[in-house]
Amino acid sequence: MTMTTTAALHLDGVHKTYSSRRSGEVTALDDIHLTVGQGEFVSLVGPSGCGKSSLLKIVLGQSRPTRGTVTFGGELPAGRHRLGMVFQQALLLPWRTVRQNLLLSHDLNGAPAGGSDATADAMLTTLGLADFADKYPNELSGGMQQRVGIGRALVHDPQILMMDEPFGALDALTRDQLGMELLDIWERDRKTVLFVTHSVPESVLLSDRVVVMTPRPGRIAEIIDIDIPRPRRLESVNTPEFGEYVLRIRRLLNITTSAH
Ligand code: ADP
Ligand code: MG
């Protein structure tokens, strides 16, 4: 990949130390160098507490790196990039309908406020939620709520879609299904995605590259190119090459059990 012209995001020597009176200094991230190409799907995997969420917060601008820099590619002037964020919980407002939740500007980084009903309805159709536009969140299953969460992040056409364990609260079947739907959307739009997951197979199935992190302080242990042809299908997980990637990442993470 030619990083100079197509980079969507570049982290250069990012270091994050938190200091609190109670626990003293905690180094969450140490010397992170990462370039994410335009349209690339990159996952971060690593043990709990290795700084994955901290890294996303720094990219979002919610938290400042102690050292190092974050730069964005694309045509917009600095500071005008649009970022979409999906969390583990959909965080929908219970008193707003699905359509109204979708149009609630999740204004994290200069996302334009508002958006039209037509845009929202097109997104709801993409997500298979066309019939639920006027329902309220409590009328939806967990998987459907998270689809709305994803739609809310995508409806403003972000340059980078960031997802922090977006399927972590879902049952295994729903998780697989949403993963495949995300892949369909990605195949079509080729958005730049930065995806955090605890599931090694999920990272291999979805990603162009998997960034494997070390325990705290989080450093990059290795970045693995996933050369599995696209479009990928759930059946891809049954191929020997898939198993080899999973094994290689688990070894890096020192996971010896077969827990996902
Ligand atoms: P992960 O998402 O990989 O589980 P986090 O980025 O949430 O990791 O946290 C990395 C480390 O930084 C952890 O040890 C956590 O306790 C610490 N940490 C995260 N946020 C803060 C904060 N706001 N203040 C102090 N420590 C924090
Ligand atoms: Mg986290």
Side-chain angles (χ1 to χ4, degrees), residues 113-258:
S116 70
D117 278 7
T119 327
D121 287 347
M123 181 58 65
L124 289 172
T125 301
T126 299
L127 296 163
L129 290 171
D131 294 341
F132 295 86
D134 298 311
K135 303 262 189 234
Y136 288 87
N138 68 2
E139 299 174 275
L140 307 184
S141 69
M144 290 161 122
Q145 291 184 23
Q146 193 55 311
R147 283 194 187 91
V148 180
I150 293 169
R152 186 184 49 197
L154 285 173
V155 79
H156 296 298
D157 192 26
Q159 285 150 307
I160 306 178
L161 175 64
M162 302 208 289
M163 309 181 88
D164 196 349
E165 304 194 34
F167 308 143
L170 304 173
D171 64 86
L173 284 178
T174 309
R175 180 177 193 135
D176 284 350
Q177 189 173 350
L178 258 68
M180 295 321 290
E181 287 175 18
L182 178 64
L183 266 192
D184 282 347
I185 292 172
W186 184 83
E187 295 286 354
R188 219 185 38 207
D189 298 351
R190 296 281 166 152
K191 280 232 164 302
T192 306
V193 181
L194 192 54
F195 186 91
V196 169
T197 179
H198 267 117
S199 165
V200 174
E202 186 172 82
S203 73
V204 174
L205 181 61
L206 299 179
S207 312
D208 295 316
R209 289 189 298 154
V210 176
V211 178
V212 185
M213 297 180 66
T214 65
R216 206 178 67 211
R219 299 191 181 101
I220 294 178
E222 205 169 316
I223 300 180
I224 301 193
D225 283 296
I226 309 295
D227 285 322
I228 297 176
R230 294 188 186 270
R232 296 183 190 157
R233 298 277 166 261
L234 210 46
E235 296 75 53
S236 308
V237 306
N238 297 319
T239 62
E241 55 176 348
F242 188 93
E244 279 159 29
Y245 281 119
V246 169
L247 187 62
R248 185 165 154 207
I249 295 169
R250 284 198 173 132
R251 286 209 174 108
L252 282 167
L253 293 168
N254 264 319
I255 298 173
T256 50
T257 67
S258 60

Side-chain angles (χ1 to χ4, degrees), residues 16-20 23-24 26-29 46-57 63 164-165 196 198 213 216 218:
K16 180 70 185 181
T17 301
Y18 295 102
S19 31
S20 70
S23 45
V26 174
T27 299
L29 292 167
S48 201
C50 78
K52 303 178 295 295
S53 295
S54 296
L55 195 152
L56 292 197
K57 279 183 204 151
S63 163
D164 196 349
E165 304 194 34
V196 169
H198 267 117
M213 297 180 66
R216 206 178 67 211

Side-chain angles (χ1 to χ4, degrees), residues 75-92:
E75 303 94 61
L76 292 176
R80 296 298 310 280
H81 45 272
R82 298 185 307 278
L83 304 172
M85 182 74 189
V86 180
F87 299 96
Q88 186 166 335
Q89 304 296 333
L91 306 171
L92 306 178

Side-chain angles (χ1 to χ4, degrees), residues 20-83:
S20 70
R21 208 168 292 167
R22 222 209 253 160
S23 45
E25 296 223 320
V26 174
T27 299
L29 292 167
D30 188 22
D31 203 30
I32 302 292
H33 292 268
L34 176 67
T35 300
V36 179
Q38 209 85 250
E40 204 184 7
F41 197 123
V42 172
S43 289
L44 303 175
V45 296
S48 201
C50 78
K52 303 178 295 295
S53 295
S54 296
L55 195 152
L56 292 197
K57 279 183 204 151
I58 287 170
V59 173
L60 275 177
Q62 287 181 343
S63 163
R64 293 169 70 86
T66 314
R67 289 200 298 275
T69 56
V70 177
T71 47
F72 295 90
E75 303 94 61
L76 292 176
R80 296 298 310 280
H81 45 272
R82 298 185 307 278
L83 304 172

